[in-house]
């Protein structure tokens, strides 16, 4: 393959409903737009999507959307969740007795890297996962 012959990124965007926290629906959508992922990679992607979208419903503001971008050579999936809140998520330590608070720790462990980009209105939280196969 020569420079310029790389396959284009595949981008899929889902607007999140402010009235209904349908995390299962978001997971079904993500599975449907990434049909070629190996099961292990898909499980990691779905877990990161779940954590980032859950943070929108728990802590952020609408409008909000999730974007999945898959690229080849090397194959990676980038998850981006945009929302209307300027407050960045915080990676915190947690008590072993805590019922919640492990989401970003999971994101940090499962991804090659993740971060937050401030937008004019709100923020974008993104995470990049390398995948084993090829699209």
């Amino acid at each position: 393959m020569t420079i310029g012959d790389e396959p284009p990124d595949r981008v899929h965007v889902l607007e999140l409903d402010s009235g209904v926290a349908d995390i299962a629906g978001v997971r079904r959508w993500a599975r449907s737009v990434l049909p070629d992922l190996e099961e292990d990679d898909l499980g990691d992607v779905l877990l990161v999507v779940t954590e980032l979208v859950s943070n929108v419903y728990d802590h952020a503001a609408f409008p909000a959307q999730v974007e999945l971008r898959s690229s080849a050579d090397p194959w990676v999936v980038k998850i981006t969740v945009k929302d209307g809140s300027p407050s960045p998520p915080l990676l915190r330590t947690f008590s072993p007795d805590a019922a919640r608070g492990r989401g970003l720790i999971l994101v940090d462990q499962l991804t090659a890297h993740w971060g937050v980009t401030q937008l004019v209105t709100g923020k974008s939280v993104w995470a990049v996962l390398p995948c084993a196969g090829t699209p």
Side-chain angles (χ1 to χ4, degrees):
M1 187 178 293
T2 61
I3 295 176
D5 290 340
E6 295 87 10
D9 289 356
R10 291 187 279 172
V11 180
H12 306 277
V13 177
L14 177 68
E15 299 296 326
L16 298 176
D17 184 350
S18 64
V20 180
D22 184 11
I23 304 299
V26 173
R27 289 172 61 89
R28 282 190 300 275
W29 168 79
R31 181 182 290 274
S32 75
V33 300
L34 297 169
D36 299 328
L37 281 182
E38 292 182 8
E39 198 60 37
D40 287 345
D41 292 330
L42 181 61
D44 290 348
V45 167
L46 294 177
L47 183 54
V48 172
V49 165
T50 297
E51 294 305 329
L52 296 182
V53 170
S54 294
N55 280 348
V56 169
Y57 285 102
D58 290 346
H59 308 291
F62 286 83
Q65 68 176 203
V66 59
E67 175 185 287
L68 298 178
R69 176 181 299 266
S70 58
S71 304
D73 199 23
W75 193 11
V76 298
V77 173
K78 182 176 183 182
I79 302 160
T80 304
V81 177
K82 298 176 185 175
D83 69 74
S85 171
S87 300
L90 300 173
L91 183 61
R92 301 178 186 167
T93 57
F94 65 93
S95 161
D97 299 331
R100 301 188 62 186
R102 295 169 180 83
L104 284 180
I105 293 171
L106 290 172
V107 170
D108 189 58
Q109 293 297 310
L110 291 173
T111 62
H113 40 264
W114 70 276
V116 180
T117 303
Q118 291 301 136
L119 305 173
V120 173
T121 56
K123 68 180 172 302
S124 170
V125 181
W126 53 268
V128 177
L129 288 89
C131 298
T134 57

